[in-house]
Amino acid sequence: MSELIIEGLCASVEGKEILKGVDLVVKSGEVAAVMGPNGSGKSTLSHVIAGRPGYEVTGGSVRIDDLELLDLPTWKRAEAGLFLAMQYPTEVPGVALRDLLRASARTSDDPEEIESRMQAEAERIGFGAQFLERPLNVDLSGGEKKRNETLQLGVLRPAFAILDELDSGLDVDALRIVSARIEQATEEDGLGVLAITHYSRLFDELRPDTVHVFADGRIRESGGPRLATELEETGYERWVQPAAATKPSPALSDDPFADPLG
Amino acid sequence: MSSTFSPDAARAIDGPSWLVDRRVAAAEALSERAVPTVADEEWRYSPIAELDLDTFAPSTTFGDAPMARLDVEPAATVRCVNGKVVSIEVDALLVEQGVFVGLLVDHADGEAVLGSVSADAGDYFTELNDAFTPHPVFINVPNGVTVDRPIVITHHAAGDHGATFSRLVVRVGKNAQATVLDQYSSDDGDVVLACPVVELDVAQAGRLGYLNIQELGDSTWQIASQVARVERDATISAGTAAFGGAYARSRADTRLVGRGAHGDLQALYFGDEGQTLDFRTYQDHVAPDTTSNLLYKGVVAGKSRSIYTGLIRVRPDARGTNAYQTNRNLKLGDDAWAESVPNLEIENNDVKCSHASTVSPVDDDQRFYLESRGVPTGEAERLIVAGFLDEVVTELAVPSAAQGLRRSVAVKLAAQRFAEYGVEDSA
Ligand SMILES: Nc1ncnc2c1ncn2[C@@H]1O[C@H](COP(=O)(O)OP(=O)(O)OP(=O)(O)O)[C@@H](O)[C@H]1O
Ligand SMILES: [Mg+2]
C-alpha cells in the first residue's frame, strides 16, 4: 500500500505561474479523476510531476510515500514507480519500443521476458504486432499512440500512473478496451491512477474513487464519481473567474487581451 | 610540386604502356596545378594548410586486407592493400553471367572506361590518383544481367606517411542490376594520405546500389572523390557511412544525364575526438524529368567538426526536375561543431527543389519521453543518437551491411561520455 502525495505544488513556465498550490493524494488501487477547462494547467501538473524540462518548480512537494520525487531526475521517478501517459506522446525516430523497454530500469535484463510481456500486453489491448517494430510514435495515428502508451504501462507495471487524456483519439471500442485494461491494473497490481480527462465516458470501465475539479492552477473542488457527470452537464463556469470582476475597466487596462466589452 | 609525386615517380609504376602514359601525363599536368589552399572556397573550412605533400610518398608496403563486413556471402570480393590488389574471388555464377570483377587492365574495355565518368570532375587530388593509382579495379555488369548478392571491394592502407590511390570503376549495363560494397580502412596511428576515386556508370534502365564504408584510422587524411553518371530511366542509390579519419573529405558528384534518371543519395557520419568530416555533394540534373533525393545525417561529438556543402544544380534542359536535399546534424556537447551549407542553382522554371538543414543537440522532449519510461539519461541519449542515424541505415542500398553499421555506431557511442544521472548533468 503506497501513496502518491502532491502538496502545495507551485510551478511556472517562462516566468508565468501555472500551478498555484496543488494538493492531491492518490492511494494504491485508487482512481482519482481530474477534470478542468482547457489551459487550466492539467498537462503542466503531469509534466511537473514527471520532471519534464522547461518548468520551474517554485514550491511544494511530490512524494511516493517518503520518497521526494522532485529531487530526482525523470528516470529515477519512473524507476520509483511513476508512469506518465502523455497527452501528445513524443515521436522518437529510429528508436523501437523494444529498445526502450529493454533500456528501462523498471524491466528485467532478460530480453525474453520483456518480449513475452510485450506480446501479452499487445494481445490484451488488441494492438497489432506490426506496431511493435515501428519507431516510437512515428507515423502512428492518435489512437495508436494512446494504445502504445497503454501497452508500455502494462509492461512497466508502475505503482502510479498519470493518464493525461488517455481517452482522446481513441475510438469507442479502443476506449473500452484500454480503460478496462487500466481498471484491471488497479485491481490486479494495485495501480494508483491520476486520470486527467474532459469526458466521463472514460469512467464507464475505469471506476473513479474521487473526482477533482482543476481550474486556474489548483484543485477547486473534490467529490465522488457523480461529480464527473455533473461537470459534463454544467461545465466549469462556477470555477472560471469572470474576467470583468477582477480586472479594471477596459479604458484603464494595459492588458491588450482584456475583453473590450468586459 | 613535390619530388615524390613527380612524372618520373609515376613512370616507375608497373602497367601496360597506355596506363603508364596516362599516369605520366597526369603527373605532368599536376605540375601545372597548385595544391589547394583555404583561400579556395571549396576548401574553406578544411585543414588543408596542414597537409604537407612532401612528407608523403606512394605506399609500397603490403599486408592483409580486412574481410567484408556483411551478413551474406558476397558474390565477389576484391581485397586491396595500399591501392594494390592482393586477392580476387569471384563466384562461378558471376563468371557464367559474363560479369567481370578484377584488375581493370585485364579487361578489353579497361583503357576506354578508366576516367570516362570522372574526366571533367577533376581536382588536384583526383589528378594525383590518375598519376599514381597502381591497380585500378573494374566491375562490369553486362546488359540485362542481375547480380543478387553484393560485390565487395576492401581497401586497407598502412605504413606511416604512405599515400594510397585506390581506383574503382563500376559499369552497370542496360537493364542490369548490381550492388557494390566498398570498404576503406587503415591502421590507427599511421599518418596516411588516401585519395580514392570511384567512378559509377549506370546505363539505360540499369540499377546500381553502392555503399561506401569509411573506417579509416585516427591519423589518416582522406580526400575522396566519387562521380556517378546515370543514364535514361536508370537508378542509383549511393550511400556513405563515415566513421574514421583525422580529416576525411568525401566529394560525391551525381550526374543525371538521361531523361528519367533517378538518384538516392545517403550518408551517415559520426565524428568524435578531433576528427573533421567534410562532405561535398553535387546533384547535377542535366536531363528532363530527373529526380534526386539526398539525406545526409551526422553526429559530432568531442571536439570533432563536420562540414556539409551541397549543391543542387538544374541545367537549362532539365525541366520536370525533382530534387531534394536534407542535412541533419546532432551536436553532442559544446566543443563539437557542425556547419551545413546547402545551395541551389536552378536554370529551369519547371522544377521542384527543396533543401533543409539543421544542427541541434539531442532533443529534450525525446529524452524526456524515454526517461519517463525509466530509461537512464545517458542511455536515453544513446538510443536517440543511434535512432537518428538508423533512419539512414535502413535506407542504404546494401541491407546486409546494416547490422555491421549498427555495431560501428554502437562502438562510437560507447566511447562518448553521456550524462549518467540528471538532465542538468547532460552534455
Ligand atoms: N512552454 C510554454 N510556454 C508558455 N506557456 C505555456 C507553455 N506550456 C504551457 N503553457 C501555458 O500554460 C497553460 C496551461 O497549459 P496546460 O497544457 O497545462 O493546460 P491543460 O489544462 O492541460 O489544457 P488542455 O485541457 O487543453 O489539455 C496554458 O495557458 C498554456 O498556454
Ligand atoms: Mg492538457
Side-chain angles (χ1 to χ4, degrees):
Chain A
M1 184 67 173
S2 278
E3 284 183 328
L4 174 68
I5 305 151
I6 305 163
E7 252 174 26
L9 186 62
C10 296
S12 54
V13 174
E14 289 171 9
K16 182 178 155 206
E17 191 178 33
I18 309 284
L19 301 185
K20 303 172 179 174
V22 182
D23 294 299
L24 185 65
V25 176
V26 185
K27 293 188 168 71
S28 293
E30 274 188 10
V31 177
V34 170
M35 303 177 80
N38 292 136
S40 57
K42 304 178 302 296
S43 291
T44 302
L45 174 65
S46 74
H47 294 154
V48 169
I49 294 172
R52 188 172 196 150
Y55 299 90
E56 194 196 348
V57 177
T58 52
S61 157
V62 179
R63 299 186 301 277
I64 291 181
D65 302 325
D66 292 333
L67 181 69
E68 178 60 62
L69 298 185
L70 297 181
D71 295 340
L72 301 176
T74 293
W75 72 272
K76 286 272 188 189
R77 302 181 196 196
E79 189 182 33
L82 186 73
F83 181 83
L84 169 61
M86 288 170 57
Q87 183 175 0
Y88 304 108
T90 309
E91 294 186 4
V92 192
V95 179
L97 180 60
R98 181 175 285 109
D99 300 334
L100 175 153
L101 293 172
R102 279 188 193 164
S104 172
R106 276 200 72 77
T107 49
S108 79
D109 290 335
D110 178 5
E112 277 174 35
E113 191 191 330
I114 294 169
E115 199 62 36
S116 71
R117 275 213 224 173
M118 246 170 67
Q119 302 296 344
E121 286 300 326
E123 206 157 299
R124 270 178 99 163
I125 60 168
F127 196 51
Q130 74 272 23
F131 295 111
L132 305 181
E133 312 300 328
R134 298 262 285 266
L136 285 165
N137 298 317
V138 177
D139 299 329
L140 293 191
S141 76
E144 287 161 0
K145 287 180 183 169
K146 296 309 173 86
R147 284 209 220 205
N148 193 350
E149 297 286 276
T150 308
L151 183 145
Q152 292 177 44
L153 185 153
V155 174
L156 296 172
R157 295 183 190 163
F160 293 96
I162 301 170
L163 312 177
D164 191 0
E165 299 195 24
L166 186 65
D167 49 340
S168 73
L170 289 172
D171 64 49
V172 282
D173 298 321
L175 174 61
R176 191 167 31 74
I177 293 165
V178 161
S179 49
R181 175 67 191 94
I182 310 276
E183 176 67 21
Q184 284 159 15
T186 64
E187 289 160 9
E188 294 167 12
D189 311 322
L191 174 72
V193 176
L194 194 166
I196 297 166
T197 184
H198 290 296
Y199 304 104
S200 61
R201 63 186 179 201
L202 176 66
F203 305 128
D204 289 348
E205 299 285 341
L206 179 65
R207 314 303 309 179
D209 297 278
T210 54
V211 175
H212 307 270
V213 179
F214 191 97
D216 192 26
R218 75 189 98 158
I219 306 273
R220 305 295 288 272
E221 187 165 334
S222 300
R226 279 193 39 222
L227 183 54
T229 32
E230 213 177 294
L231 285 169
E232 249 183 0
E233 283 156 25
T234 62
Y236 302 107
E237 219 163 60
R238 278 161 59 199
W239 295 281
V240 179
Q241 290 199 344
T246 55
K247 294 256 163 73
S249 74
L252 300 173
S253 171
D254 55 6
D255 177 0
F257 299 107
D259 182 357
L261 303 176
Chain B
M1 180 69 217
S2 93
S3 53
T4 51
F5 298 109
S6 65
D8 283 345
R11 200 185 321 272
I13 306 171
D14 283 348
S17 62
W18 68 263
L19 182 56
V20 174
D21 291 347
R22 197 178 181 281
R23 289 193 193 112
V24 172
E28 279 164 357
L30 267 180
S31 53
E32 309 290 309
R33 286 183 186 259
V35 181
T37 70
V38 285
D40 300 304
E41 176 58 29
E42 292 230 341
W43 296 88
R44 191 169 140 205
Y45 297 105
S46 76
I48 191 76
E50 294 161 29
L51 179 69
D52 183 0
L53 268 184
D54 285 333
T55 64
F56 292 92
S59 297
T60 49
T61 50
F62 277 83
D64 282 340
M67 301 301 288
R69 301 185 354 159
L70 274 180
D71 296 342
V72 296
E73 190 64 29
T77 307
V78 178
R79 297 163 74 207
C80 309
V81 175
N82 288 333
K84 291 182 185 157
V85 172
V86 294
S87 73
I88 301 171
E89 291 159 59
V90 183
D91 204 297
L93 178 68
L94 255 62
V95 180
E96 260 172 55
Q97 287 177 303
V99 176
F100 178 87
V101 179
L103 286 166
L104 178 129
V105 294
D106 292 342
H107 192 279
D109 296 344
E111 183 175 0
V113 298
L114 183 61
S116 66
V117 176
S118 69
D120 55 343
D123 64 11
Y124 190 89
F125 296 96
T126 59
E127 197 94 72
L128 261 181
N129 184 289
D130 278 337
F132 294 98
T133 180
H135 283 171
V137 171
F138 185 36
I139 298 173
N140 188 50
V141 184
N143 294 346
V145 168
T146 293
V147 181
D148 290 325
R149 284 171 293 133
I151 296 167
V152 178
I153 318 292
T154 70
H155 311 261
H156 188 74
D160 204 27
H161 286 90
T164 167
F165 303 96
S166 310
R167 185 69 167 248
L168 172 64
V169 180
V170 181
R171 187 170 72 178
V172 174
K174 291 181 182 170
N175 289 301
Q177 195 169 328
T179 54
V180 175
L181 173 64
D182 198 15
Q183 291 177 204
Y184 294 81
S185 59
S186 59
D187 288 351
D188 276 337
D190 282 359
V191 179
V192 168
L193 174 64
C195 302
V197 173
V198 176
E199 302 184 61
L200 307 171
D201 194 1
V202 195
Q204 186 175 335
R207 302 177 74 84
L208 172 62
Y210 172 82
L211 172 60
N212 181 308
I213 300 182
Q214 187 272 88
E215 293 193 297
L216 294 164
D218 57 10
S219 306
T220 293
W221 280 65
Q222 175 191 260
I223 299 169
S225 174
Q226 170 194 313
V227 188
R229 178 171 62 202
V230 190
E231 302 281 356
R232 186 181 179 121
D233 296 327
T235 295
I236 191 167
S237 172
T240 297
F243 301 102
Y247 171 67
R249 178 186 178 95
S250 309
R251 169 179 158 157
D253 192 331
T254 307
R255 296 151 176 207
L256 305 168
V257 299
R259 183 174 202 141
H262 176 75
D264 282 316
L265 309 162
Q266 321 91 358
L268 63 124
Y269 48 96
F270 196 144
D272 63 359
E273 298 184 357
Q275 285 184 276
T276 300
L277 302 176
D278 186 351
F279 299 92
R280 300 190 70 85
T281 65
Y282 298 84
Q283 290 155 269
D284 193 354
H285 290 258
V286 180
D289 302 322
T290 47
T291 52
S292 68
N293 199 348
L294 178 144
L295 177 65
Y296 272 45
K297 293 182 89 172
V299 176
V300 280
K303 292 186 167 66
S304 70
R305 297 149 37 100
S306 73
I307 303 133
Y308 170 80
T309 312
L311 176 64
I312 294 176
R313 177 147 188 214
V314 182
R315 309 264 178 172
D317 290 342
R319 67 186 171 281
T321 286
N322 275 275
Y324 305 99
Q325 185 190 77
T326 304
N327 173 231
R328 301 206 184 283
N329 297 280
L330 266 188
K331 189 169 126 32
L332 308 181
D334 294 335
D335 298 331
W337 182 88
E339 177 74 29
S340 187
V341 191
N343 291 294
L344 297 175
E345 192 180 313
I346 298 175
E347 299 172 279
N348 187 294
N349 292 326
D350 176 25
V351 301
K352 273 197 213 127
C353 291
S354 74
H355 58 73
S357 76
T358 54
V359 179
S360 55
V362 171
D363 183 74
D364 277 346
D365 288 340
Q366 292 179 8
R367 179 174 47 217
F368 171 71
Y369 185 83
L370 299 184
E371 274 202 61
S372 73
R373 277 102 241 270
V375 180
T377 314
E379 193 52 35
E381 294 190 346
R382 266 182 221 109
L383 283 174
I384 292 164
V385 174
F388 171 80
L389 294 178
D390 211 61
E391 196 197 342
V392 179
V393 173
T394 54
E395 283 191 14
L396 296 170
V398 188
S400 50
Q403 279 314 325
L405 289 176
R406 291 190 177 108
R407 280 193 295 276
S408 299
V409 169
V411 166
K412 276 278 196 180
L413 279 171
Q416 310 311 318
R417 264 194 67 243
F418 286 98
E420 295 304 340
Y421 194 66
V423 170
E424 49 283 351
D425 295 338
S426 69

